[in-house]
Amino acid sequence: MTVIAKESLIGKRVAKLDAPEKASGRTRYVHDLDLPGQLHARILRSSRVHARIVSIDTSRARALPGVHAVLTAADVPWQRPLGVGRDQLPLKGDRVRSLRDEIAAVAAETVEIAEAALRLVDVVYEDLPPLTDVRAALAPGAPVIHEGRPPTKGAERPDAASHPNVAMTFDYAQGDVAAGEAASDVVVDGWFRLHYVTHCCMGVSGMIAQFDATGNLTLHSNTQVPFLHKREFAEILGIDPGRIRIIQPPIGGGFGSKLDIYPFEPICVFLAKATGRPVKLVFTREEEFLASPTRQPVLLRLTSGARRDGTLTFRVCETLHDNGAYTSWGATTPFVMMQTISSLYRVPHVRYHTTAAYTNNPYAGSFRGYGNLQATFAVEQQMDELAEKLGIDPLAFRLRNAQDPGEVTPQGMHFRTCGLKECLATAAGASGFLAKHAAARAAQRAPGRVKRGVGMASMLHVGGGAKIYPSDGCGTILKIDDFAHVTLITGASEIGQGSETVLAQLVCEELGVPLDAITVVNNDTDITPWDVGVHASRTTFIGGNSAIGAARKAKAKILAAAARSAGCAEAELDLRGGHIVRAASGEAVTTLAKLLRSLHFSDRAELVMTTHYYEPPSRHQDAAYKGDVSAAYAWATQVVEVEVDTDTGVVRLVKVTGAHDVGRVLNRLGIEGQIEGGIVMGQGYALTEDLVVDHGVVRNPAFRDYKLVTAPEIPAMDVHFIETMDGEGPQGAKGVGEAPAICMAAATANAIANATGVRLRELPFTPEKVYRALRSAAG
Amino acid sequence: MSVEHYWAPRTLDEALGHLAGGDVTILAGGTDLMPQKNAGRVRLGRGLLNLSRVDALRGVAVEKGCLRIGALATITELLAHAAVREHADVLAQACDRFASDQLRNAATIGGNVCNASPAGDTLVPLLVLDAEVELASRPNGSVATRTLPLAAFLTGPGRTARAPHELLVALRVPLRRAPAVGRFFKFGTRPALDISTISIGFAASRDGGTLRDVRLAYGAVAPVPMRSHAAEAALDGAALTDATIARAAAAAREDVRPIDDVRASAWYRRELVFNMTRRILDDVAHA
Ligand SMILES: Cc1cc2nc3c(=O)[nH]c(=O)nc-3n(C[C@H](O)[C@H](O)[C@H](O)COP(=O)(O)OP(=O)(O)OC[C@H]3O[C@@H](n4cnc5c(N)ncnc54)[C@H](O)[C@@H]3O)c2cc1C
């Protein structure tokens, strides 16, 4: 008799399934794909920030040998507006509104020929007054960027929509701010300025478009939202969405950058249509800096109040978003920002307003954290400022106002699990926060050119999807073959975050098979069932629950068959180690493969194939932005220790101690990587990364002057997991993708203030900026 | 227009012969040339001359009272060479702050010098070491050489006194007898892979408590890397007291002529010159 012990993969350190391919250089990204007969495309972009196009002459470019097509807006009169705001055409015909604007596109035999052809396109511009300051954009008489355009979605309140440059507005309120102000013993108030950064995916943007003989369109695309994009492409191209197939090659990073549809994508399709050949369009790195979206730059004013006893009374937040020339997801980051303002801590009275205004600057998209880095930066600095004014330590003040499990906030979010207090206590305890904070504070005026300090910040983020669309669901198809090999076909996209590994783990856990008995298929809309896309830290939670649902159906079918042949009840059997076993003893009854064959090759002729669609029990928010938008919420506290060199302004991160409420750890190796990577991304946002946009021109479109964090600067990290076992989460887990980047800038600002007594409200904390602030504080 | 001839000669003679033909671009490690070409900032000539096989341009040796460094010596080779540590420690320190391993394996000292960037990291230590450049050409069949002080060779940002038909063959650093101190400091926003916002090179000989033969140079604060003679004068023959150090640092801050660019403002560069000169000298005083 063979006895098979119960083994669990949950919480283990599991190497990513795609790691061997990637580590050995075998992975074929879109850049590496070449289709037979393929042409190469390049795009001509505006050389003016704001101008009328007087004429475009492509005759010289068309005449160049090797050129197959040169397209301008005049060649595609049927093109339709695209993007979140539907406020731009893929090819601009009469006017350019930013330097990235697409004017012409070439398909040629080689990239070099396509580039040479671009240089032969003659464009005559007539400059218009550029508008590159978001405050100036709202001044009376400012040049209007989009004439005759009403503000888009989100702008339910028409009052704020008076200026023609307003792209979007958001208003949210809870309680009665006047009452909150009256009840306050201390109030802090400040302006915060958040800068441009960009995703810097290792894989630059690119796609291949191909029509077949009957007009079906196949796109090899890096999109994060393949199913939504089928509809978008169909609308823009005026074709039936059913004729569009999207295949995602392995994607070299997303971080939110591939959530909207961008002009280059339909342009690539136009060229494929015009030439009848597959067309490949891949950005240069410089183009990636110039023409992919940024994180939303924000000017933010926050006022917060508290009573003497340390309870928060109110917050008023007003933000001005530089929308850039067109509207993408960046404009909608207030959805997330207001959650942090209203619900990271208990605060009874809140008023929130955002105006997003058009300018001639680059436009912002979605980026890991989605506005939360910006909101947390302000909220958590004011938590420290209030604590200081009240004479309470920063930890006690936060604990006093922290949310508890079971809380339903005035915004309607229901925190079924909430580990915030444990996160605070764990991060503070493990880092020795209180003692270090007090010591650094006492040493602010002591001699010595290098000052040490410690700062903390916490965060709240959706951890169970986010119901932005009518559905937040994900579909799974699962099949098990006659050798007991499992194929998991999921709608959930992999962008390097490790979701396919976690989904495989969850299925293996249900079916009692080892990880090498599973293949994940997740990249072809003709095969995979619908999913809303990879965003909002949702894939493990939503895709995971969907996969578990399909696996449980398969398991039920298998156990029913096994019980029939063993002549026992289903409940007496279980699946372990590729076997059917007696649940009580672990004694093997038969192998899973044998049982499957007995079903398949019998007169029942039955295959084990199941489907499942999971829709989380969250709600679409109402017109006042209230509602339980996610099925679970993630929490974290990070403590950052810094050294500030007062001679240079260099801020060195010494150590980051993090405590993350992740519901439950599924893949320990994966989640550690996710958190460490997020910390480094947050560090770059806080200290080094800065896309310099000067009068509409990106001044540093290269890694030489756009400073990513490099290995020697990465701090020591001590990460703790708080496992609150979420009731709705897959095996208790919650989403964690965005969380680790969110606190870093705020905690670093607090640490610098602790070290030097100087509070910085403008990112990034580059040496010169820090040095200037220290000097002007010294007088 | 594109490259019509590509040469990879093995001897100096051949290399100089190709150069004499005119409109030739010299390629060493290519780590400046290729990015500049791709960004459209330099145009390649009709001929492209790859130096990498010319053995006469390699090697580091002590000869005739000099440390002679071949133009093709890579940053990695300089870092590994004992004679460089011994006779030109400040140069070795600069190599240790240079780019990354991949770059150091390809980047040559000759390329760094001929590229003549105000931020070139070997230039500042070479200035404080009183280095000379050795140039060769073959104007009419026979090889001619000339030697120039580095300070005279560097004429502006990206500009040198090299004639188009001349090749930089080697750098020569005179050996000094007295026990020496040397320091290199580079400021960038991050510790690795960064272009200097400012750099400082310092060398002197020690005579008990006082410094003699003081040389202090600055990078990225003027059109060419420069010595601050006023700061040197403040230190020469003086004991390193706090007052002397402050005087020298202030003199250096007066001497430099920085500009505003995407990396830093002129004001901040001056502040760094003062603060970091003070820090280096404090460090020397307490060493
Ligand atoms: C990512 C990166 C990081 C960098 N970091 C640094 C850094 O930290 N510090 C720093 O100083 N520089 C840095 N550089 C610049 C560059 O690597 C150095 O200047 C390097 O020393 C150039 O040497 P090379 O052999 O590659 O020169 P090349 O690019 O081959 O040549 C540079 C120029 O000199 C000319 N030339 C070369 N050799 C000779 C010769 N013997 N005679 C006459 N003319 C010649 C060439 O024609 C060309 O004009 C960096 C570059 C990159 C791409």
Side-chain angles (χ1 to χ4, degrees), chain A residues 730-745:
Chain A
Q731 296 281 359
K734 308 194 228 189
V736 70
E738 295 165 279
I742 292 169
C743 301
M744 285 296 294

Side-chain angles (χ1 to χ4, degrees), chain A residues 704, chain B residues 19 24-36 42 49 51 57 71-73 75 94 97-100 103-104 106-117 119-123 135 153 162 166-170 186 193-196:
Chain A
R704 189 186 65 186
Chain B
L19 260 188
V24 173
T25 305
I26 299 170
L27 172 72
T31 62
D32 274 320
L33 188 67
M34 296 319 290
Q36 288 167 2
V42 299
L49 178 64
L51 297 181
L57 297 174
L72 279 187
I75 305 303
R97 294 298 317 278
F98 196 104
S100 61
L103 264 298
R104 291 175 189 180
T108 65
I109 193 165
N112 199 241
V113 170
C114 290
N115 189 57
S117 158
D121 280 328
T122 68
L123 303 179
L135 298 164
F153 182 70
R162 185 180 71 85
E166 280 183 312
L167 199 62
L168 175 70
V169 177
K186 168 174 175 175
L193 260 181
D194 211 352
I195 295 175
S196 294

Side-chain angles (χ1 to χ4, degrees), chain A residues 449-450 645 647-650 692 699-700 703-710 712-713 767-768 771-772 775, chain B residues 41 185 187-195 253 262-265 267-268 271-272 275-276 278-279 282:
Chain A
R449 298 203 171 117
V450 176
D645 184 334
D647 270 347
T648 60
V650 168
V692 180
R699 292 287 177 207
N700 54 344
F703 284 125
R704 189 186 65 186
D705 292 319
Y706 184 95
K707 310 276 186 205
L708 287 175
V709 170
T710 58
E713 301 144 87
E768 177 162 357
Y771 184 78
R772 250 177 220 283
R775 283 299 303 267
Chain B
R41 276 184 288 128
F185 169 84
F187 185 83
T189 48
R190 62 186 180 199
L193 260 181
D194 211 352
I195 295 175
R253 180 166 58 189
V262 74
R263 286 182 273 282
S265 70
W267 172 81
Y268 179 60
E271 291 290 295
L272 286 176
N275 290 344
M276 293 301 104
R278 195 179 53 188
R279 188 175 283 183
D282 275 345

Side-chain angles (χ1 to χ4, degrees), chain A residues 57-142:
Chain A
D57 181 355
T58 59
S59 52
R60 290 196 305 141
R62 283 178 214 266
L64 188 72
V67 169
H68 286 244
V70 183
L71 299 181
T72 67
D75 301 301
V76 284
W78 41 270
Q79 64 172 338
R80 294 187 211 169
L82 56 69
V84 171
R86 301 280 188 278
D87 53 6
Q88 62 171 323
L89 291 168
L91 284 165
K92 280 68 176 172
D94 51 359
R95 184 161 161 191
V96 287
R97 295 177 174 86
S98 73
L99 265 189
R100 57 164 293 168
D101 279 19
E102 299 77 4
I103 296 176
V106 176
E109 297 285 339
T110 65
V111 175
E112 290 73 21
I113 296 173
E115 260 169 14
L118 291 188
R119 289 193 288 273
L120 299 176
V121 176
D122 301 301
V123 185
V124 178
Y125 301 94
E126 182 186 291
D127 281 319
L128 295 168
L131 192 51
T132 57
D133 177 280
V134 65
R135 292 190 208 228
L138 294 175

